[in-house]
Amino acid sequence: MKKIFFIGTFFAFHWAFSQQKSSIKIVESKKIELTSELSKDKVDLYNQAFMKFVAALKDSDKEKVKTLVSDKIKYYMSDDMVSRLSGGISFDRKMEVYKSGYQKLYENETYSIIQYKYSDDKQNPPRDIINVIFENDGKILGVKPEYAE
């Protein structure tokens, strides 16, 4: 009986310390403030990359989506994230560039950002905006649709 108790205790102790402990930190989303304007060439390059991304989302081509995003986030992308993002973008409405510029993100790195609005949204500022953050090579680092309630 002592052997069984000892073996059980050993496995319980081992199991208790083998668990990975992780915590999720909730950070309040701050308003995106753009600095300076992107050049027309960069806006065209990034716009083409984003339109390919939207087409891949529309076709549910997860492999193509993963080729268009940055290597920094490729590891974190799951099928669930891609399907939720597909639900956050309206494929029936035409998008156009609203604003472009640079945004400082974590670790004080500066990335290019383009804000898209839907063509049929005539309000100023638009009710629905899609913020897309790009790396210098045109890979997408982040997409954040924002909709009015």
Side-chain angles (χ1 to χ4, degrees):
M1 186 69 175
K2 289 182 182 180
K3 289 181 182 179
I4 294 173
F5 180 72
F6 177 72
I7 292 171
T9 305
F10 175 75
F11 283 118
F13 182 78
H14 178 61
W15 178 77
F17 284 102
S18 69
Q19 299 295 313
Q20 292 182 357
K21 295 185 180 181
S22 62
S23 62
I24 297 175
K25 184 178 178 183
I26 298 175
V27 179
E28 187 176 325
S29 177
K30 63 179 183 176
K31 195 73 174 164
I32 294 178
E33 296 179 22
L34 303 177
T35 57
S36 68
E37 256 322 284
L38 293 177
S39 69
K40 181 151 176 47
D41 295 339
K42 281 196 172 194
V43 170
D44 290 340
L45 171 73
Y46 298 153
N47 191 36
Q48 289 174 3
F50 180 64
M51 290 306 148
K52 288 178 187 175
F53 180 78
V54 169
L57 281 177
K58 185 176 181 180
D59 296 338
S60 298
D61 187 355
K62 292 175 177 72
E63 292 305 314
K64 183 158 184 170
V65 167
K66 288 187 178 185
T67 63
L68 296 169
V69 297
S70 169
D71 293 334
K72 294 178 183 178
I73 64 167
K74 197 177 290 187
Y75 174 76
Y76 301 106
M77 287 196 65
S78 65
D79 293 343
D80 182 49
M81 289 177 74
V82 172
S83 62
R84 283 191 296 154
L85 188 56
S86 295
I89 296 175
S90 176
F91 301 119
D92 300 331
R93 299 167 72 188
K94 186 176 190 264
M95 287 180 261
E96 62 184 33
V97 175
Y98 173 61
K99 286 185 181 179
S100 67
Y102 295 95
Q103 174 73 33
K104 242 182 208 188
L105 295 180
Y106 307 107
E107 301 167 7
N108 286 330
E109 291 186 57
T110 304
Y111 292 101
S112 304
I113 183 169
I114 296 180
Q115 292 182 330
Y116 289 91
K117 71 173 194 156
Y118 293 106
S119 300
D120 58 353
D121 190 354
K122 301 298 180 192
Q123 293 186 1
N124 195 9
R127 291 175 48 90
D128 305 327
I129 291 179
I130 301 170
N131 296 303
V132 186
I133 301 170
F134 296 93
E135 288 186 327
N136 288 335
D137 61 356
K139 297 273 187 169
I140 295 173
L141 189 62
V143 177
K144 182 182 176 191
E146 293 180 11
Y147 292 99
E149 296 178 11

